Amino acid sequence: MDYDEMDTGNEPRVRVREADSLHADFVLENVDLAFANSLRRVIFAEVPTIAIDLVEIKTNTSVLADEFIAHRLGMIPLNSKNVDELHSKMECDDCAQYCENCSVVLTLHARCTGDDIMKVYARDLVVGGGGKNEWLGTPVITDPEGLGAVICKLRKGQEISMKCIARKGISKEHAKWSPVSAVSFEYDPHNKLRHIDYWYEEDPVKEWPKSKNASWEDPPQDGEPFDSDADPSKFYFDIESVGNLDPDTILQQGIKVLQQKLAAVIDELGKDGMSSANGGVGDGDGYPGARSPDVVMGGGPVGGPSYDGGGYTTPYANGDGGSASVYGGGATPFGATPYGQWPQ
């Protein structure tokens, strides 16, 4: 992967230091800590991928329970290139359970006929035809032997036969949909901002060695005054993909998801009629005041009568012999309480 650096002044800037099919190391500059952490969290939890979500067991005579094998199948990373071509299971209106528009079907059939123990690998998963593209749903295999993860072991005469349904999802719902094994960032490697209070016995310099990112910033000078108003603006990101998406695609998808979430907030704030939303009173800037959406100004439920009593009254204040509430106003529907009347 080749990248060209672009100097954009004070705008956000990305400088890629290392990149391959499973790992990316880059520097993100001219952003604040909140943005950097938001990007990290979105990458980890809300970038969509595809994973096995439903397993139909036809035959299983292995020593492992059906649920155990189903869980192992779900944790096998599947190629998620162009996963946006699939609908999520909540968005698909064309099927009751699964169809080619929202899922990819894989089959697994293995039987041991020899005396030696037989291992069933991820490579034994076969993607059915009719997929959205030639990559989507294929097991990710990165080991030199081209075998993939071990699913189970079989002895002579044992057999497994299963139909696996892979669906689109995000790791906020389950970790099997996570595109990364780890995503992290570091800032202020010299601790100039003093956001970390190092515990040490004798010498913090010897006991807390600097990271490799320290060479990218100037160390603090002796007697340099501390700036309590300084904020970090350079972040050293490290993304480790599980193989279902390239690291650069993961970053682009993370930015896309973050843009969509921010656009949704802006859209809600920009809607007309905000000053009268929920029947509340605006604060002068076009936003409603803090008010429950389930009450009207008189204290009753929305669409119902207004109960204008003294103090906070109950909706049962009908004067049918109930005792007065402790706050004055209407009576309770249960008559006098066992604690007597509120002292006058």
Side-chain angles (χ1 to χ4, degrees), residues 47-249:
V47 172
T49 62
I50 187 173
I52 293 175
D53 190 43
L54 177 65
V55 179
E56 298 177 359
I57 309 291
K58 299 179 181 179
T59 304
N60 178 22
T61 58
S62 71
V63 297
L64 298 181
D66 295 349
E67 296 83 359
F68 195 97
I69 296 180
H71 181 266
R72 291 183 66 85
L73 289 168
M75 300 304 294
I76 295 175
L78 304 179
N79 194 315
S80 302
K81 187 175 182 179
N82 297 332
V83 71
D84 289 339
E85 296 179 4
L86 279 183
H87 298 304
S88 68
K89 58 184 178 181
M90 302 298 294
E91 298 170 342
C92 189
D93 300 326
D94 301 331
C95 62
Q97 193 170 25
Y98 61 87
C99 67
E100 63 179 10
N101 293 323
C102 65
S103 61
V104 175
V105 178
L106 301 93
T107 57
L108 176 64
H109 186 202
R111 178 182 175 85
C112 181
T113 57
D115 294 330
D116 295 332
I117 294 177
M118 173 184 176
K119 294 182 180 180
V120 182
Y121 295 95
R123 69 171 182 181
D124 298 316
L125 286 166
V126 180
V127 180
K132 291 293 184 180
N133 58 62
E134 58 182 308
W135 311 282
L136 194 60
T138 57
V140 175
I141 299 175
T142 58
D143 58 291
E145 294 79 12
L147 301 175
V150 176
I151 298 174
C152 68
K153 298 179 181 180
L154 302 177
R155 293 297 297 267
K156 186 176 181 178
Q158 294 180 342
E159 178 184 6
I160 59 172
S161 179
M162 305 176 181
K163 182 179 181 181
C164 309
I165 312 302
R167 292 176 173 146
K168 178 182 175 181
I170 58 176
S171 63
K172 180 184 286 188
E173 182 178 353
H174 194 283
K176 64 186 177 184
W177 279 298
S178 177
V180 295
S181 57
V183 54
S184 62
F185 68 81
E186 180 187 15
Y187 69 92
D188 189 25
H190 293 287
N191 198 28
K192 293 181 180 180
L193 303 177
R194 302 181 187 176
H195 287 182
I196 300 177
D197 186 12
Y198 291 117
W199 180 91
Y200 61 94
E201 293 182 347
E202 296 180 358
D203 188 353
V205 177
K206 295 180 179 179
E207 297 174 22
W208 293 93
K210 303 297 182 183
S211 69
K212 65 177 183 179
N213 299 319
S215 61
W216 284 69
E217 295 186 15
D218 296 329
Q221 303 299 319
D222 293 337
E224 179 179 346
F226 172 66
D227 185 3
S228 60
D229 296 327
D231 293 316
S233 61
K234 181 183 290 188
F235 304 90
Y236 305 92
F237 269 82
D238 194 288
I239 297 177
E240 296 181 14
S241 171
V242 298
N244 47 15
L245 290 172
D246 291 334
D248 57 338
T249 303

Side-chain angles (χ1 to χ4, degrees), residues 10 31 89 143 156 166 198 254 266 312 314 318:
N10 292 327
V31 298
K89 58 184 178 181
D143 58 291
K156 186 176 181 178
Y198 291 117
I266 293 173
Y312 292 91
T314 69
N318 49 22

